[in-house]
Amino acid sequence: MILAIDIGNTNIVIGGIDEKKTYFIERVSTVRTKTELEYAIDIKNVLDIYGYSVEDISGGIVCSVVPQITNIMRVAAEKILRRDIMVVKSGLKTGLNILMDFPNQLGSDLVAASVAGITHYQVPLIIFDLGTATTVCVVDDKKNYIGGMIYPGLRVSLDALTENAAQLQGVALESPGRVIGKNTIDCMKSGILNSNAAAIDGIIDRIEEELGQKATVLATGGLAKTVLPLCRREIILDEELLLKGMLTIYQKNHAAFAASAETGKGADSCG
Ligand SMILES: Nc1ncnc2c1ncn2[C@@H]1O[C@H](COP(=O)(O)OP(=O)(O)OP(=O)(O)O)[C@@H](O)[C@H]1O
Ligand SMILES: CC(C)(CO)[C@@H](O)C(=O)NCCC(=O)O
Ligand SMILES: [K+]
């Protein structure tokens, strides 16, 4: 099994995975001030809770969209696993052809999700990731990453609303059970959930129209399981999509990575 660490803007997902299965998957909060030792303790605690030791882990990979934490987490994982840890970045083999204006600016999380998409599902693909941001990845029938969308995630949208409206307070992100709200809280709950669900349905229609093809639609991220039940289109929920993508990237690059680490050419340059 390898250790896969996905650093998002809100949460860090720590998972143990191999081609057979996911052994554990846990979230800790993304805290920008934590030290290497504190993240090392997080990793150690997750392993301890599940009864795994360092010997059970054959390697590690970090995927991050928070640049100031990337290296701290890499060193933290190296402290625990006592081996070089791979970082998802441009230059690695992925099997995905990124047709963007600036391919190296594409978020590593979007790369990992798309790699998992082309590995485990039928292309073309539309992939929604409902986290801090809601992102949409579009992969065509030739496994080209052709673009997507980025818009505010549900929690970020709600926070902006309550900050700007004097009479509105925070609500839990849960369905009120009906579309037409009868009180402030239900109106807000219905509004945030149904507006996002309807957006997803509508976005799928528009992307398929622009693609000229029907696509496999996937969803992942902390909020996917809350929103998907309100969508009308068929959408496959895969909460382990990023971990699966990180495993594939690890496998495709592991030999070159080990060789470059061995010859001291720099632990994190692979090609
Ligand atoms: N059970 C929950 N109830 C309410 N909000 C939640 C819940 N779980 C996650 N969230 C919200 O979902 C968002 C985080 O989703 P996720 O765990 O996918 O985070 P992330 O991976 O850090 O996001 P990103 O990858 O976009 O940076 C946050 O806005 C968080 O407040
Ligand atoms: C859009 C987010 C924040 C989603 O996590 C992340 O993928 C990111 O910071 N991306 C960089 C910009 C881009 O992907 O075009
Ligand atoms: K940011």
Side-chain angles (χ1 to χ4, degrees):
M1 143 183 33
I2 67 155
L3 188 71
I5 302 175
D6 154 34
I7 306 174
N9 280 295
T10 309
N11 288 315
I12 297 173
V13 176
I14 301 175
I17 186 170
D18 66 17
E19 48 289 308
K20 291 197 285 297
K21 66 174 204 166
T22 300
Y23 297 85
F24 57 86
I25 174 165
E26 284 293 345
R27 285 181 142 77
V28 298
S29 298
T30 303
V31 182
R32 279 141 178 94
T33 52
K34 268 197 188 176
T35 65
E36 281 160 25
L37 179 67
E38 288 170 310
Y39 278 124
I41 291 168
D42 283 343
I43 296 167
K44 179 116 189 13
N45 282 342
V46 173
L47 290 177
D48 285 350
I49 287 166
Y50 286 87
Y52 292 110
S53 68
V54 174
E55 288 68 41
D56 298 317
I57 313 283
S58 61
I61 180 164
V62 170
C63 177
S64 172
V65 295
V66 189
Q68 65 264 48
I69 300 180
T70 312
N71 218 34
I72 290 171
M73 183 60 87
R74 180 179 61 78
V75 175
E78 288 176 350
K79 226 189 246 308
I80 299 297
L81 298 187
R82 287 178 249 120
R83 59 172 76 237
D84 293 314
I85 303 296
M86 201 183 289
V87 174
V88 178
K89 59 165 110 172
S90 52
L92 292 182
K93 285 191 230 113
T94 61
L96 187 72
N97 186 26
I98 302 172
L99 302 181
M100 294 288 283
D101 294 339
F102 307 102
N104 61 355
Q105 289 176 10
L106 183 63
S108 299
D109 53 351
L110 310 184
V111 174
S114 300
V115 168
I118 61 172
T119 307
H120 299 281
Y121 298 93
Q122 185 90 39
V123 288
L125 292 164
I126 302 172
I127 306 171
F128 289 86
D129 188 341
L130 287 82
T132 310
T134 299
T135 57
V136 189
C137 300
V138 184
V139 179
D140 74 9
D141 57 359
K142 296 179 186 66
K143 300 185 181 176
N144 295 310
Y145 185 104
I146 60 167
M149 288 186 191
I150 302 170
Y151 59 95
L154 282 80
R155 177 51 63 186
V156 168
S157 302
L158 259 184
D159 289 348
L161 177 64
T162 52
E163 236 166 72
N164 286 284
Q167 296 192 93
L168 299 185
Q169 267 119 54
V171 295
L173 280 168
E174 58 193 20
S175 173
R178 50 155 77 194
V179 176
I180 304 169
K182 292 283 187 195
N183 55 67
T184 311
I185 289 177
D186 282 358
C187 287
M188 290 176 69
K189 285 180 174 175
S190 175
I192 196 70
L193 289 173
N194 284 296
S195 64
N196 275 272
I200 289 172
D201 286 330
I203 286 166
I204 297 168
D205 288 342
R206 287 163 193 225
I207 289 176
E208 286 185 338
E209 201 178 301
E210 203 164 289
L211 265 180
Q213 266 180 313
K214 293 278 175 199
T216 309
V217 186
L218 309 176
T220 192
L223 294 164
K225 63 177 176 304
T226 310
V227 179
L228 254 50
L230 302 172
C231 293
R232 293 182 176 171
R233 292 290 307 249
E234 189 196 325
I235 303 170
I236 302 166
L237 175 64
D238 188 342
E239 294 186 314
E240 294 167 7
L241 200 62
L242 263 80
L243 293 190
K244 290 177 183 170
M246 291 164 76
L247 174 65
T248 297
I249 294 170
Y250 179 88
Q251 289 169 332
K252 283 184 188 291
N253 294 280
H254 161 250
F257 180 72
S260 79
E262 192 69 29
T263 55
K265 279 190 299 185
D268 51 15
S269 81
C270 324

